[in-house]
Amino acid sequence: MIRFFENYSLKDHNTFGIDAKAKYFFEFTEVQDLAVFLRDNKSWRDEKLIVLGEGSNILFLNDFDGLLIHPKVPGIFSVHEDRQCEWIEAGAGELWDDLVEYAVAYGLGGVENLSLIPGKVGAAPVQNIGAYGQEVCAVVEKVKGFDLEKEEITEFKAEECRFAYRDSVFKSHLKNRFIITSVVFRLEKFPEFKLGYGDLEAKVKEKGDVNLHTIRKAVIEIRSSKLPDVKELGNAGSFFKNPVVEASLAERLKAEFETLPVYPAGEGKAKMAAGWLIEQAGWKGVREGNVGVHEKQALVLVNHGNATGKEVWDFSEKIKQSVYAKFGVELEREVNCV
């Protein structure tokens, strides 16, 4: 199935609820439909281009004057298994949490800590989503899609994806050139659970035995208690990345601010909690007009009404400057700004 529109409203296609429009909007459910569309419509090659899933990690600063491609490829199914693992392929258009629910239901580990993260499967490797000590790069086997430059269907093995903290080749070198249509995940039949992040272990043990189901329930409960529902309050989840800094700087700040959460990041680096920095800089729960910081989670910026992308951007700049002035730490936006 394909759909094509001109001057198309994106308000329902970004979780911030920004009322921007796309000059052209193309949606497809089969990769062959995308190939045919691009082959038969060479004029679109001259347009600006962006690929959009659920829009859970994007901020539109203005209307988009170009072609927006929306992959809606469905399906979650097993493609191979052995004694230790099962390989699951999921279409880019599937909701990420539906994949996690599927994995847990079938006793497959590796993504349970990533429960309730908003967005589609196709966006997961782009952002290398992560939470509670798990990152999706650890279970990605291959990423399938369409290369716009070569005009051909192709795939990338995990080692070719250049995964890093909230980053991948799809977010940098191949941004808006490679359209992900499905992802193959290698999930564990006998997983080792990761419970050492935050208050996850205590919450899991409240629910009884430690298993995939109790971990998923605990993560959902924690996230639901801290993060606003995008259906009720527009947001894009974590707006800023947790900064990775020199370990020496983290040690100096930890000596001055004892409650600062610091985690080893390897190679003489340390990761600090951006939400803590923002809260200590006095921004938690602050509102300016239509934009604000969520009252329960300082890492989340929210749209209280009819905010524009520019309003959100300007507000985030104030937060960045304030945190840098207090701690000497530069925050980087996790949200993609267009």
Side-chain angles (χ1 to χ4, degrees):
M1 183 194 79
I2 64 172
R3 298 199 308 158
F4 178 76
F5 301 98
E6 296 185 31
N7 196 33
Y8 185 79
S9 174
L10 300 173
K11 187 169 185 177
D12 293 333
H13 287 274
N14 72 99
T15 57
F16 248 122
I18 302 298
D19 193 13
K21 291 182 174 61
K23 183 180 178 182
Y24 302 113
F25 178 93
F26 176 72
E27 178 182 276
F28 68 95
T29 56
E30 301 287 342
V31 65
Q32 292 83 359
D33 293 332
L34 172 63
V36 170
F37 174 80
L38 294 172
R39 182 195 67 199
D40 295 345
N41 297 276
K42 294 295 185 182
S43 61
W44 309 126
R45 308 287 293 174
D46 299 325
E47 299 287 346
K48 296 177 185 176
L49 186 143
I50 190 173
V51 183
L52 183 72
E54 191 180 21
S56 61
N57 195 48
I58 196 167
L59 175 65
F60 287 103
L61 303 182
N62 300 288
D63 290 342
F64 181 65
D65 185 27
L67 170 63
L68 189 149
I69 297 179
H70 179 54
K72 205 175 179 181
V73 181
I76 301 175
F77 51 92
S78 176
V79 292
H80 177 66
E81 67 176 304
D82 61 19
R83 184 178 178 278
Q84 295 291 331
C85 301
E86 187 164 353
W87 285 258
I88 303 296
E89 183 166 355
E94 291 287 345
L95 286 173
W96 170 257
D97 196 54
D98 286 351
L99 171 66
V100 179
E101 183 179 43
Y102 175 100
V104 170
Y106 283 91
L108 301 173
V111 293
E112 59 279 357
N113 289 25
L114 309 182
S115 292
L116 211 63
I117 290 180
K120 299 290 181 70
V121 166
V126 177
Q127 187 70 8
N128 186 20
I129 59 173
Y132 297 104
Q134 278 186 345
E135 284 186 317
V136 77
C137 64
V139 296
V140 170
E141 179 75 11
K142 64 178 65 173
V143 178
K144 299 181 178 181
F146 189 86
D147 190 316
L148 293 172
E149 187 173 292
K150 296 179 179 178
E151 296 193 28
E152 64 182 23
I153 298 171
T154 188
E155 61 184 44
F156 287 81
K157 296 178 181 178
E159 57 268 26
E160 298 173 309
C161 296
R162 301 182 195 173
F163 288 123
Y165 175 59
R166 301 298 177 269
D167 200 10
S168 71
V169 69
F170 311 111
K171 193 176 178 181
S172 53
H173 179 62
L174 295 179
K175 183 176 182 180
N176 295 324
R177 169 186 155 180
F178 184 75
I179 300 177
I180 295 173
T181 55
S182 69
V183 184
V184 178
F185 302 93
R186 183 189 68 260
L187 302 178
E188 299 286 337
K189 293 181 178 179
F190 308 99
E192 294 184 7
F193 304 132
K194 292 187 175 182
L195 304 176
Y197 198 98
D199 53 355
L200 180 57
E201 184 172 10
K203 183 64 69 173
V204 171
K205 289 183 176 179
E206 285 178 9
K207 302 186 176 305
D209 294 338
V210 178
N211 56 50
L212 294 173
H213 295 279
T214 54
I215 293 172
R216 174 166 165 76
K217 288 179 181 178
V219 171
I220 289 174
E221 188 173 313
I222 293 170
R223 290 183 66 89
S224 297
S225 69
K226 294 180 178 180
L227 302 175
D229 187 337
V230 296
K231 296 176 183 177
E232 299 175 0
L233 196 60
N235 71 90
S238 299
F239 195 90
F240 296 101
K241 297 180 181 180
N242 288 323
V244 177
V245 301
E246 295 295 330
S248 57
L249 172 59
E251 290 171 5
R252 289 200 303 272
L253 288 173
K254 183 71 173 177
E256 185 176 356
F257 305 96
E258 294 183 3
T259 59
L260 169 63
V262 176
Y263 306 94
E267 300 181 349
K269 303 285 187 179
K271 184 191 297 183
M272 296 189 296
W276 187 93
L277 297 172
I278 294 167
E279 181 174 349
Q280 295 302 310
W283 288 97
K284 189 175 182 180
V286 171
R287 175 174 177 173
E288 292 186 0
N290 291 316
V291 187
V293 175
H294 188 51
E295 59 185 11
K296 294 182 179 179
Q297 173 52 271
L299 202 52
V300 178
L301 272 59
V302 297
N303 178 0
H304 283 290
N306 299 309
T308 65
K310 179 69 163 48
E311 285 179 284
V312 178
W313 172 274
D314 289 345
F315 186 71
S316 71
E317 273 294 301
K318 292 181 181 180
I319 294 173
K320 286 187 62 179
Q321 293 168 11
S322 175
V323 167
Y324 186 80
K326 185 175 180 67
F327 300 104
V329 175
E330 184 78 31
L331 292 181
E332 182 181 351
R333 294 176 183 85
E334 184 172 326
V335 171
N336 295 305
C337 299
V338 178

